Amino acid sequence: MVEVMTDKQFKTILEMVDMILDGCKDLEEAKKKVQKLIENQSGKEKTE
């Protein structure tokens, strides 16, 4: 089954990434935080 992302969902994701970047002092910290979110989301997909 293919899930289509709406414009609103895409905008929400970009806003979340913007907040992460805003709260980080450097690129490495931002990368780690985004990677952790990706890993957490991957874990949720497997259990559903």
Side-chain angles (χ1 to χ4, degrees):
M1 182 177 153
V2 176
E3 293 184 33
V4 178
M5 185 184 315
T6 65
D7 289 343
K8 184 176 179 182
Q9 289 170 319
F10 186 63
K11 183 176 186 273
T12 301
I13 291 169
L14 290 176
E15 288 170 345
M16 288 173 59
V17 171
D18 186 51
M19 282 190 275
I20 291 169
L21 294 175
D22 213 27
C24 296
K25 61 183 177 288
D26 60 27
L27 183 59
E28 279 307 308
E29 183 182 358
K31 285 181 180 180
K32 287 178 186 172
K33 287 184 178 184
V34 171
Q35 190 60 45
K36 186 167 179 138
L37 282 175
I38 292 168
E39 290 168 4
N40 288 344
Q41 189 59 38
S42 295
K44 287 180 186 175
E45 288 174 4
K46 290 175 187 170
T47 58
E48 286 180 355

